Amino acid sequence: MNDSVMRTSRKKTPADTTPFEREQLRFFLSGGNLASTLSELNPSLAWLPFLWEAKLVESDAQLVAWVERNFSDVDAVRDVAANVQFFGPESAAFLEFRLNAHAETLPPLLSKCWALILRHMRSAQRGLAQNEWFEVLRLVKQGNHSSDLLERLSNALRPKLRIGKRLNWYNRDTGLAPEYPTDLMSIRYEVNGGVSSRDVLNGWPKTLPSDADEELLRYLTSALGSALGDATDAGIEGNEGYGVSDADVPSVAPHRQNAYRSGFQTIVRVMADVWSRLASKSPVKALACARLWRDSQFRLMRRLGMFAFANPAMPGSEAADAVIKMTSGELFLTGASVEAYRLIRERWNDFPARKRSQILRRLREGPPKTLFRDQAHVDLYVDQARYDFLADMVRQNIDIGQQGKRVLNKIQARWPEWQPKPTEKIGFRVWHESGFRTHETGTEALNNEPDDKLISRAREIAAASPFGQDETWQNLCIGDPDRAVRALDAAASSGGWPKDFWEQALWSRTTYADSGTEIKIAQLLLRCPSDEFGRIAAAASSWLESHAKTLTEDLLWPLWDRIADAVLVDGEETNP
């Protein structure tokens, strides 16, 4: 029996086995030395949750040799990242020593991934959260504003690296080789303990002298810079392209798009509001801080600088410099666009004439075509970037000059259907409405694609995304679900049932404009091949729950039965 179990577990994951086989494995591993058995047997690391649930692991140190044997396995990175909560600082220390011994033989991507995973392990929290905010808050209210306290507060607000399971394994499903750590695992930055900016701002007295606000901003600036450097090293932040800070911080200024955001959002909102308090107390000190942010190497810090220079207490000439110093990619194609639009609207008349001319020239030129991977649609992208800025300025009664008017008129002649975006939405790459309804602005690359080409085009866009975080298809499912379903229908006619694309469409809760879309989805799900249907059954179940009251019985009950059968089979295969 032992040999049979060894051969089976070596090649199978829990999803591939029966309850009896899992019980055999549990019995086999319960005797003897678990660490040496796992290292010798070397089953898939997907068995990690099973080992803990079966109470076979006494200490995560028992898993070190097993993990080491799989340093060169891409799937091992995925499995350990998905189950990183089972490891702590002690295992990280052992694994780091052993990883160093493999440094010359591992591909750079895997070395990078393991290094990130080990960093998460080293900071793992055991038991109660280690966040100090509530203790810090008590001391602040007692009047303690010492350097030690400010350091503790800034550390509490600093976003920390978090590794997890990659929910959308695009590269794995398509057979493409992974290029970035984000192809294998999720990487994000979170503040420990769920501290909110409101908690901090309510706890930090508004009546403190300007020196206290200035000192707090100095510590927070250092903490934010350290976190941004860390995220850049992790490959999810940078000065080129859309990064994690763009997703976490839709707007530096207060805005409803910031709702439900975490990560870098908390510390940025605290810094912005404390700076505003400082500006009302000491414009000179506030200006020094704004200059420091504007000249930073990090885009998010520069966004804080633009937020600050929108304040009328700051010199107009230096406010113009905040826009002029932006790279073209930053100005047109990142989250910094939100602050650029706001700064131009608020301070344009304060800019010196010569600097207004410089800015207008850049807006007329638009972003360089070399910034776009998709050269087939590059003229559309450049026109859209220029149009949004110039049309918004005209709406704000800002004189864009004769040359600007000529450029805008030519663009409008090429794209007569375009209308200026609402002021509230201008600059945002993705726009989320309250509740389940969402309107997106990030699907321009799909505008001119026929329905039967949408999915292949969305794949190309996702593959070209530098951080593996492209949301074009998701935005389409939310903004125009009827069109997304037509694209899925076209793919199904050719035998294609892409899991990730189907899941996004089924999870969308935007109301369909065409009543026939709901019927079409049910019909497609009923004729989906069994193997493919099993992969999307969970999403189909969620969709059916939301549409059970409106589907006709001839579709409702057959689909109900099919989902029940798929879930039952899946449950029998995956639960001991």
Side-chain angles (χ1 to χ4, degrees):
M1 180 187 71
N2 291 353
D3 290 342
S4 174
V5 171
M6 290 175 67
R7 287 193 298 270
T8 300
S9 61
R10 190 187 306 261
K11 301 188 179 198
K12 292 185 176 182
T13 67
D16 303 318
T17 60
T18 66
F20 177 71
E21 288 175 307
R22 287 196 293 277
E23 179 58 27
Q24 281 187 305
L25 180 63
R26 188 200 63 78
F27 179 79
F28 173 69
L29 293 176
S30 62
N33 186 314
L34 178 66
S36 60
T37 303
L38 286 173
S39 179
E40 179 183 354
L41 179 63
N42 196 26
S44 165
L45 281 156
W47 287 94
L48 275 167
F50 169 80
L51 298 179
W52 284 92
E53 291 167 6
K55 303 187 185 305
L56 296 171
V57 183
E58 296 178 1
S59 166
D60 51 320
Q62 295 174 284
L63 309 174
V64 169
W66 179 29
V67 173
E68 181 187 8
R69 281 206 60 181
N70 293 274
F71 276 154
S72 61
D73 186 353
V74 169
D75 281 335
V77 170
R78 292 185 172 112
D79 292 329
V80 174
N83 298 286
V84 72
Q85 72 274 14
F86 296 132
F87 298 88
E90 183 181 356
S91 290
F94 284 116
L95 285 168
E96 183 174 27
F97 175 77
R98 298 184 183 186
L99 182 63
N100 290 336
H102 295 266
E104 296 183 359
T105 59
L106 282 179
L109 174 61
L110 292 184
S111 293
K112 181 73 171 179
C113 288
W114 286 115
L116 291 170
I117 289 172
L118 297 186
R119 281 173 48 198
H120 178 111
M121 291 181 185
R122 282 196 295 270
S123 63
Q125 302 180 47
R126 296 300 176 93
L128 295 176
Q130 296 174 353
N131 186 274
E132 295 186 295
W133 164 242
F134 293 106
E135 174 63 15
V136 169
L137 175 61
R138 183 181 66 82
L139 295 173
V140 168
K141 289 182 175 179
Q142 290 177 354
N144 184 341
H145 309 126
S146 65
S147 295
D148 177 68
L149 183 77
L150 294 180
E151 184 173 357
R152 291 172 64 185
L153 173 57
S154 62
N155 183 63
L157 291 177
R158 176 186 167 178
K160 313 282 194 309
L161 174 72
R162 292 291 177 263
I163 299 297
K165 179 179 179 180
R166 191 178 194 278
L167 299 180
N168 181 8
W169 289 4
Y170 173 78
N171 292 72
R172 194 180 197 187
D173 291 342
T174 60
L176 296 176
E179 298 182 60
Y180 306 97
T182 48
D183 292 332
L184 301 176
M185 55 191 177
S186 75
I187 304 175
R188 64 191 190 281
Y189 281 75
E190 296 292 346
V191 176
N192 290 342
V195 180
S196 72
S197 58
R198 180 178 299 178
D199 293 334
V200 181
L201 292 167
N202 288 340
W204 185 258
K206 295 181 180 180
T207 55
L208 288 175
S210 61
D211 287 347
D213 289 340
E214 182 184 34
E215 188 72 356
L216 174 59
L217 287 173
R218 185 173 71 83
Y219 275 92
L220 292 177
T221 298
S222 177
L224 177 59
S226 178
L228 289 169
D230 199 55
T232 301
D233 183 62
I236 60 172
E237 178 68 6
N239 286 325
E240 296 295 332
Y242 200 74
V244 64
S245 69
D246 298 292
D248 287 351
V249 188
S251 170
V252 173
H255 199 287
R256 62 192 179 99
Q257 287 299 294
N258 291 337
Y260 312 114
R261 304 297 178 125
S262 57
F264 286 93
Q265 172 69 212
T266 302
I267 190 171
V268 166
R269 286 297 314 127
V270 171
M271 293 172 70
D273 278 17
V274 172
W275 183 90
S276 296
R277 297 178 187 179
L278 178 61
S280 66
K281 300 172 186 176
S282 174
V284 172
K285 291 177 180 178
L287 175 59
C289 186
R291 287 169 174 165
L292 178 66
W293 292 344
R294 180 195 62 195
D295 299 333
S296 170
Q297 62 177 310
F298 300 114
R299 181 169 70 239
L300 182 56
M301 205 81 78
R302 294 194 294 272
R303 291 178 64 187
L304 273 162
M306 285 192 286
F307 162 84
F309 278 107
N311 188 304
M314 298 297 101
S317 179
E318 295 201 47
D321 289 339
V323 179
I324 292 171
K325 289 185 177 184
M326 297 176 73
T327 66
S328 292
E330 187 175 33
L331 176 61
F332 290 101
L333 305 176
T334 70
S337 298
V338 173
E339 278 66 55
Y341 278 104
R342 178 174 178 267
L343 181 53
I344 288 173
R345 286 197 301 265
E346 298 290 333
R347 303 300 308 278
W348 185 258
N349 291 332
D350 298 328
F351 294 170
R354 177 176 57 83
K355 294 185 177 183
R356 288 202 300 262
S357 296
Q358 285 182 261
I359 293 170
L360 278 172
R361 183 174 65 250
R362 294 186 66 193
L363 297 181
R364 292 194 303 266
E365 293 171 350
K369 294 183 179 182
T370 54
L371 292 179
F372 298 94
R373 295 175 183 267
D374 177 17
Q375 292 298 304
H377 299 81
V378 68
D379 290 334
L380 181 151
Y381 301 149
V382 172
D383 274 356
Q384 183 75 65
R386 296 188 296 172
Y387 176 84
D388 286 345
F389 263 107
L390 296 173
D392 183 65
M393 293 173 73
V394 169
R395 179 172 50 196
Q396 302 297 328
N397 295 317
I398 294 174
D399 183 8
I400 62 173
Q402 291 303 314
Q403 294 183 66
K405 291 176 182 177
R406 282 196 292 271
V407 169
L408 183 58
N409 289 336
K410 288 180 180 179
I411 295 173
Q412 288 178 321
R414 286 192 290 271
W415 309 101
E417 72 278 11
W418 284 2
Q419 295 293 326
K421 295 175 183 175
T423 300
E424 186 184 27
K425 299 181 180 181
I426 199 75
F428 290 93
R429 307 261 75 78
V430 177
W431 179 266
H432 294 281
E433 295 285 0
S434 60
F436 286 113
R437 293 194 59 81
T438 305
H439 176 71
E440 52 76 31
T441 60
T443 62
E444 289 85 357
L446 302 179
N447 283 351
N448 298 321
E449 297 290 341
D451 293 342
D452 61 346
K453 302 294 184 183
L454 278 176
I455 290 179
S456 60
R457 177 74 188 117
R459 286 189 189 278
E460 293 173 1
I461 296 170
S465 174
F467 297 110
Q469 297 180 345
D470 179 79
E471 297 178 335
T472 302
W473 176 257
Q474 178 183 349
N475 293 337
L476 179 67
C477 292
I478 295 172
D480 190 353
D482 302 88
R483 190 177 182 216
V485 172
R486 293 197 299 271
L488 290 169
D489 186 16
S493 299
S494 303
W497 299 85
K499 173 180 177 289
D500 295 335
F501 290 81
W502 265 102
E503 286 181 333
Q504 295 290 356
L506 292 171
W507 283 330
S508 171
R509 291 297 180 266
T510 304
T511 302
Y512 305 125
D514 181 356
S515 60
T517 299
E518 181 183 64
I519 297 172
K520 175 57 68 177
I521 291 177
Q523 291 172 338
L524 286 170
L525 290 174
L526 285 171
R527 68 182 179 89
C528 179
S530 297
D531 291 345
E532 302 291 349
F533 186 80
R535 302 168 68 216
I536 61 174
S541 176
S542 175
W543 179 86
L544 182 60
E545 183 178 356
S546 298
H547 294 269
K549 293 182 179 180
T550 53
L551 279 176
T552 58
E553 292 193 1
D554 62 318
L555 292 173
L556 171 63
W557 297 117
L559 184 54
W560 183 289
D561 290 340
R562 186 167 202 206
I563 292 172
D565 290 342
V567 172
L568 177 62
V569 170
D570 183 63
E572 291 175 347
E573 291 181 350
T574 57
N575 295 316

